[in-house]
Structures are given as C-alpha cells and as structure tokens.
Amino acid sequence: MIDVTSIEIKVRDEDDIAFLLMDKYGNLKSYECKYQFKEGTIFLKNKNFRLTGIPYLFGGYRINKSALTTNKNGDLLLSAVQVDESAILFIFPASTPKSNFQNLYPKISTSANSRYPL
C-alpha cells in the first residue's frame, strides 16, 4: 500500500491497461493488468479470487471485483465489490457480508506530452 497522490492511466491495447502511481515523495510505481471494456466501463481482470484452506470446511474464498468509469464531469469513478464466504465444519457459518465502495477522483488537465511516460 502506498499513499498515492496522482495516477496516470494508459490503455496499451484492447486487453492491457497500465497504471503509473506517484506517491507524496515523487516515487513512481507501475502496475499492469488485463481488462474488459463493456458499456462504457472498464472491468479490471486482476487477481480477484483467493482460496484459503478447504472451502466450507476449514477455509473459504474471497472474490474482489473492480471497475473504472467516468461521470458526467469527466471525473474518474472507481467501484469495487468484495465477497468473502467461508464456514467451519458445515455447522457454524463464518461468512462476512459483501462490501462495496466507490471513490471519485477529480479530473486533472494534462498536456499532450506526459511528464511520466510508461
């Protein structure tokens, strides 16, 4: 986890997207993943499924889904959903409810020549 002050998003081709993250100290970190574009929204295909132990016996699974879109003002809207399911010995449910969040990132004007090309 880093404290991000700016994000640059580059669509590489029809299924690859790259993010260039800058922290408050000016350090840059690049992150690339696959995506699917559907109805004006970008659905990220990053590591979104995690299995722990033996599901519904001594473990469970977690699914994370993330999507990017813009609002009417051109601001970036990040939506995410996390579902965590598990149980202990088929007797005591140990599931947590689904959690959702959204973040709004105001659009920043950029010039044609980027300061931080990927």
Side-chain angles (χ1 to χ4, degrees):
M1 297 295 294
I2 62 173
D3 187 13
V4 177
T5 58
S6 69
I7 300 172
E8 184 176 338
I9 301 171
K10 297 244 183 194
V11 177
R12 301 241 184 215
D13 56 34
E14 65 244 7
D15 64 351
D16 288 322
I17 192 167
F19 300 90
L20 185 63
L21 312 170
M22 181 186 293
D23 67 11
K24 61 184 176 181
Y25 304 109
N27 299 322
L28 298 173
K29 180 172 174 135
S30 180
Y31 176 75
E32 297 179 14
C33 68
K34 302 281 185 191
Y35 76 96
Q36 178 184 20
F37 186 75
K38 185 178 177 184
E39 297 177 11
T41 301
I42 294 174
F43 294 94
L44 302 180
K45 293 183 175 182
N46 50 350
K47 298 173 186 171
N48 63 353
F49 183 81
R50 172 175 248 167
L51 187 63
T52 55
I54 303 170
Y56 298 108
L57 186 59
F58 289 114
Y61 64 89
R62 175 178 290 164
I63 299 172
N64 299 308
K65 294 184 180 183
S66 304
L68 296 169
T69 190
T70 56
N71 65 9
K72 292 178 184 176
N73 297 331
D75 302 325
L76 181 67
L77 183 63
L78 169 65
S79 299
V81 174
Q82 182 181 66
V83 178
D84 196 354
E85 293 288 332
S86 63
I88 301 171
L89 293 175
F90 298 105
I91 298 170
F92 305 106
S95 297
T96 58
K98 179 173 74 169
S99 61
N100 298 317
F101 78 88
Q102 287 189 344
N103 287 340
L104 179 67
Y105 301 95
K107 183 177 182 179
I108 299 173
S109 299
T110 59
S111 65
N113 296 329
S114 176
R115 284 179 57 190
Y116 307 105
L118 292 178

